[in-house]
Amino acid sequence: MTRRTTIDDVARLADVHKATVSRALNPRTEHQIGRETVERVRAAADKLGYIPNAMARGLRTANSMTIGVILPDLTNPLFPPMVRGIEDYLEPRGYTALLANTDDNEAAETAAIGSLLARRVDGLIVASGHSDFAALAEARDAGVHAVLLNRDAGGVRFPLVGGDDANGIREAMAHLTDLGHREIVHIAGPERLSTSVTRREAFEAACAARPDVIGRIVEVPSLTIASGFEAMTAILGAGGKRPTAIVAGNDLIALGVLRSLRAHGLSCPDDASVVGFNDMLFAEDFTPPLTTVRVPTLQMGREAARLLLDIIQSGEQPTADVRLPVSLVVRGSTAPVRP
Amino acid sequence: MTRRTTIDDVARLADVHKATVSRALNPRTEHQIGRETVERVRAAADKLGYIPNAMARGLRTANSMTIGVILPDLTNPLFPPMVRGIEDYLEPRGYTALLANTDDNEAAETAAIGSLLARRVDGLIVASGHSDFAALAEARDAGVHAVLLNRDAGGVRFPLVGGDDANGIREAMAHLTDLGHREIVHIAGPERLSTSVTRREAFEAACAARPDVIGRIVEVPSLTIASGFEAMTAILGAGGKRPTAIVAGNDLIALGVLRSLRAHGLSCPDDASVVGFNDMLFAEDFTPPLTTVRVPTLQMGREAARLLLDIIQSGEQPTADVRLPVSLVVRGSTAPVRP
DNA sequence: TTGAAAGCGCTAACAC
DNA sequence: GTGTTAGCGCTTTCAA
């Protein structure tokens, strides 16, 4: 890699001091410099293909124009839209996102935070919040600004941008009861995830408000297809009355439920209705197309980035969390209960 | 954000010179320092929570330990596994990936390259290659090392890591002809993508080798569900004999084909067999589950990262491209041709 | 409006 | 085995 052009090269060619080059090329200080000089500097910079070194600038200005994004697994379809939303907001503002996958694993969380702090990120967007995210405290101690995305964290308090999960469950339950369902099982995600708790509580509240509805909760250890499959298989294997509807903790669980139903020779929605959560990619292409709660993941990413940049620029912590509206999308996996 | 601890703080506490701290904390130079001193420095660093400033280090060493990843759209399910593979390889080696989405748009490509060059990435992995990626020349001129992932680029020559697409199409065609299909349409992606060209040529070759097979090619402008839907709708709308099988340029197109079939009240695979390409996430959950060519995207990402780091460390350009094996996954969207 | 000088935090060459 | 010195490429006082 041949030596890159530096500000001194440009200064020499334009026959000015490098400080002048710096000012001429920075939109915020450009007005301090004579019109003609700016032109000359620009011409020189263009000619040499000068691209300022962001590391040198960052070292001097003490901000890296870089945002760390911590998520469990990019391969989980929930996250790419969030990341895209974040990047779309950051990019035109000169910021770059640094991604770190944690796989819900404490060692990786610690490593991720360490790597991001070493790169002196100006802020953190944490989409992998859970109740015992110890490494997050390190970031807090380092004075890094952070915003939580989708999932709340336990110990460390940062503002949260999420969807209105409780309302999503309410709508799902209203839809199912309208269809005549009275025996409903909620397959809930692990308690360490705030979204699981919110959804479960909303489910319980909805049942409490409708004494004719018999609600039951099954908790699974992870929000995966496998967990959904196993939970549904257990439900079908157990004796007693089969529920007529399932409210899954998320779409992956719902997909596992669909697969289990199929494996048992049962039909959805004829033998059981299923509702998912998130409206992830391809939810409409499953067999049957999934009725689910749409969460505006792309917009959530944008909002998180916006909130974080606001915090960085103002230096103030915001007062309240941001809850974006969700909406029920009715498709083929729900139907009136069979007589 | 309170001032972070620097190497001088650690030096003061350990009562050594900062150069000693630097050496003691760097695994590669640690042996130069006395055992006891290393311990003392480590203790001091731990106590202060010292995390070296990667920008300062990068400025001094002239490498950022950073790799730029250029892709069309993270939201396209083809890419998250590749990115994950890249990150999994980079992370334990101290590198971080910087993502840039281009949306197949020239302005964004230029902006992406510029932003990555400003951050002085040590190398580039380009998953958005196409025949007129002009901005790539800028990277080449800057002396940046690069590896192409999945798609080849036109003008600028860099090593490519991809799947054995030609063989994938051969296997798909063998499968279809075994099932008795003789009228087959290939819905090909745009010519600017090397994968489209390779697949199309393999399709043509397979047809040429089987004179009893009537192959036809329909080209679409993008590898999307919408393109697949429109193409299939046009095929069904046109008079003449309907093909008994479709070889889609990728899974998204195949999905569009499935949707179109359904919209026309036709059944897959009864009225037409469909083969996709990539085996992207959830291909097995569609209606019907998609027969497709599995491309090892995660492994391709790893390989690309490995190749790039090798190039960076050795300074040598590799001789040949890397082609990873692909395999046909037979599922429900293909069946024997109806008599 | 522009120049000079200092320094961000680190590592590498050179001393001893 | 450890200290000294210089400098990576930039921005930002302070002067003029």
Side-chain angles (χ1 to χ4, degrees), chain A residues 139-156:
Chain A
R140 146 67 45 85
D141 294 345
V144 175
H145 297 294
V147 167
L148 300 170
L149 179 53
N150 192 37
R151 299 175 184 170
D152 210 338
V156 200

Side-chain angles (χ1 to χ4, degrees), chain B residues 126 235 251 264:
Chain B
V126 181
I235 290 169
D251 289 339
H264 285 78

Side-chain angles (χ1 to χ4, degrees), chain B:
Chain B
M1 177 147 145
T2 54
R3 190 182 137 285
R4 287 219 49 113
T5 358
T6 74
I7 198 170
D8 276 309
D9 300 328
V10 179
R12 215 166 300 127
L13 181 58
D15 199 30
V16 291
H17 193 265
K18 62 175 173 174
T20 305
V21 175
S22 172
R23 291 190 274 248
L25 261 29
N26 189 320
R28 233 184 47 264
T29 49
E30 181 191 328
H31 67 277
Q32 304 175 7
I33 303 295
R35 252 195 89 51
E36 194 193 332
T37 313
V38 171
E39 302 283 295
R40 193 147 35 89
V41 169
R42 271 215 201 109
D46 279 0
K47 183 163 178 209
L48 298 176
Y50 171 63
I51 301 181
N53 184 324
M55 288 187 293
R57 173 181 291 167
L59 185 57
R60 175 67 235 234
T61 61
N63 49 47
S64 60
M65 299 301 281
T66 259
I67 300 294
V69 178
I70 302 182
L71 40 81
D73 175 16
L74 191 60
T75 267
N76 180 326
L78 180 60
F79 299 105
M82 292 190 196
V83 173
R84 195 63 159 89
I86 293 170
E87 290 179 334
D88 286 352
Y89 189 83
L90 294 182
E91 195 271 332
R93 288 160 185 82
Y95 283 82
T96 299
L98 262 38
L99 262 48
N101 300 85
T102 65
D103 291 316
D104 273 322
N105 151 355
E106 191 168 336
E109 284 170 354
T110 308
I113 298 265
S115 155
L116 295 174
L117 290 184
R119 298 204 137 82
R120 296 299 187 268
V121 292
D122 297 327
L124 239 35
I125 295 178
V126 181
S128 61
H130 57 84
S131 54
D132 38 33
F133 197 149
L136 215 49
E138 196 182 343
R140 147 66 46 82
D141 295 344
V144 175
H145 297 295
V147 167
L148 299 171
L149 179 52
N150 192 38
R151 299 175 185 171
D152 210 339
V156 200
R157 186 63 206 122
F158 287 117
L160 169 76
V161 174
D164 187 352
D165 283 17
N167 194 49
I169 291 291
R170 269 194 295 276
E171 293 205 8
M173 290 297 282
H175 170 61
L176 289 176
T177 49
D178 282 356
L179 291 173
H181 293 279
R182 295 294 178 271
E183 280 115 66
I184 307 178
V185 168
H186 175 46
I187 303 182
E191 277 191 32
R192 54 202 289 276
L193 304 184
S194 66
T195 45
S196 301
V197 176
T198 308
R199 293 171 199 174
R200 168 208 284 253
E201 287 174 356
F203 176 82
E204 285 167 342
C207 293
R210 291 279 309 234
D212 56 330
V213 170
I214 301 168
R216 199 151 56 90
I217 293 178
V218 174
E219 183 175 323
V220 294
S222 66
L223 294 167
T224 58
I225 298 177
S227 280
F229 185 89
E230 285 163 24
M232 192 63 199
T233 302
I235 290 169
L236 294 174
K241 215 165 173 185
R242 194 204 299 153
T244 66
I246 305 288
V247 175
N250 77 349
D251 289 339
L252 292 173
I253 290 192
L255 184 52
V257 170
L258 294 182
R259 287 190 188 171
S260 172
L261 249 13
R262 215 173 307 136
H264 285 78
L266 295 173
S267 152
C268 173
D270 292 342
D271 297 307
S273 286
V274 177
V275 180
F277 210 104
N278 284 337
D279 194 25
M280 68 180 187
L281 191 68
F282 301 136
E284 62 189 301
D285 294 290
F286 297 151
T287 314
L290 192 63
T291 293
T292 185
V293 176
R294 174 171 296 162
V295 176
T297 44
L298 195 103
Q299 199 196 334
M300 274 163 49
R302 288 187 63 86
E303 280 306 308
R306 185 148 73 104
L307 183 58
L308 182 58
L309 257 45
D310 283 355
I311 293 172
I312 291 171
Q313 270 144 34
S314 72
E316 299 167 2
Q317 288 295 323
T319 49
D321 291 348
V322 178
R323 286 283 177 190
L324 267 32
V326 304
S327 57
L328 185 72
V329 182
V330 176
R331 291 195 275 244
S333 66
T334 48
V337 70
R338 282 203 299 194

Side-chain angles (χ1 to χ4, degrees), chain A residues 73-94:
Chain A
D73 176 16
L74 189 61
T75 268
N76 180 325
L78 181 59
F79 298 106
M82 291 189 198
V83 173
R84 194 64 158 89
I86 293 170
E87 290 179 334
D88 287 351
Y89 189 84
L90 294 183
E91 194 272 331
R93 288 161 184 81

